[in-house]
């Protein structure tokens, strides 16, 4: 399984806990940060072999990020707890079947 922490199309990234994702034979590390100023927002950094390959700042619910070739929509940002991602399918809908934006 590419995302071992994904459950029912959702992936709660815990604050400052590194996650390992295998992609194209290489290990990628995914880490979420959460900040309160000026308002609650998240940050996700993806690295491979010690080099930063993607960084997403100022994340709030509804934002879309790409991690190892897959699209995820930010569902929640809980201060100092987690950033919850929902998988986005090619049709622009989450795996739950809910239309984007609803």
């Amino acid at each position: 399984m590419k995302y071992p922490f994904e459950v029912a199309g959702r992936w709660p990234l815990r604050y400052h806990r590194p996650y390992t994702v295998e992609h194209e034979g290489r290990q990628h590390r995914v880490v979420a940060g959460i900040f309160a100023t000026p308002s609650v927002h998240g940050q996700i950094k993806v690295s491979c072999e010690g080099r930063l390959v993607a960084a997403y700042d100022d994340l709030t619910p509804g934002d879309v990020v790409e991690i190892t070739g897959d699209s995820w929509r930010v569902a929640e940002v809980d201060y100092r707890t987690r950033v919850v991602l929902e998988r986005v399918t090619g049709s622009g809908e989450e795996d739950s079947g809910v239309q984007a934006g609803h």
Side-chain angles (χ1 to χ4, degrees), residues 3 6 8-10 63-67 69-74 85-101:
Y3 303 100
E6 175 187 6
R10 290 174 62 97
D63 289 339
V64 175
V65 299
E66 183 182 309
I67 300 174
D70 297 306
S71 294
W72 298 88
R73 181 171 289 105
V74 176
L85 301 178
E86 292 178 328
R87 185 180 286 277
V88 176
T89 64
S91 64
E93 297 179 358
E94 291 91 11
D95 274 352
S96 65
V98 176
Q99 186 69 19

